[in-house]
Amino acid sequence: QVQLVESGGGSVQAGGSLRLSCAASGASSSRYCMGWFRQVPGKGREVVATIVVGPDTVYYVASVKGRFTVSRDNAKNTLYLQMNNLKPEDTGLYYCAVRSASWCLLEESDYNYWGQGTQVTVSS
């Protein structure tokens, strides 16, 4: 059992920045894959970024490369997503998720635990 709580969402103008955090608790492993997904109305959850450690390996969806940075602090059991130069198309409900494996996949159905989501709204 893993509990995930996201924070850091909000409203920002295009070009601004936000930093999302996801605090994890419960039975988990620091070796598990963690990821960020986002969802907009009428769409399923799409992967934004994933990370595994030892050494760190990251993935970014093409639309956020060069703007977003995913990281994790295992001592704090926390996942982060630094989002810079935000665009209106980044608007959505952002979720952190855990996959119970030490390697990542990219589909919503590949993840076992989910947070409640935090809203990100980017205005033009």
Side-chain angles (χ1 to χ4, degrees):
Q1 185 68 39
V2 177
Q3 295 81 46
L4 304 171
V5 180
E6 301 99 333
S7 62
S11 297
V12 65
Q13 292 187 326
S17 298
L18 288 171
R19 190 189 194 196
L20 306 184
S21 299
C22 174
S25 62
S28 183
S29 172
S30 63
R31 299 171 297 172
Y32 285 174
C33 168
M34 299 189 73
W36 288 99
F37 289 73
R38 64 187 177 192
Q39 186 172 32
V40 299
K43 301 288 186 179
R45 297 176 189 179
E46 69 162 351
V47 68
V48 177
T50 66
I51 185 169
V52 295
V53 297
D56 288 358
T57 302
V58 299
Y59 165 84
Y60 299 99
V61 68
S63 61
V64 309
K65 288 181 179 178
R67 300 188 296 119
F68 290 11
T69 302
V70 63
S71 62
R72 63 194 294 176
D73 185 335
N74 288 327
K76 297 180 179 180
N77 294 317
T78 302
L79 178 73
Y80 302 98
L81 185 67
Q82 178 67 47
M83 305 185 294
N84 296 326
N85 191 24
L86 283 160
K87 302 177 179 180
E89 52 263 43
D90 295 318
T91 294
L93 186 62
Y94 282 69
Y95 297 88
C96 66
V98 170
R99 171 174 163 79
S100 299
S102 59
W103 48 284
C104 287
L105 294 172
L106 304 180
E107 297 296 328
E108 176 182 1
S109 60
D110 296 316
Y111 289 75
N112 308 101
Y113 302 98
W114 295 85
Q116 82 288 348
T118 185
Q119 180 67 37
V120 171
T121 302
V122 184
S123 59
S124 60

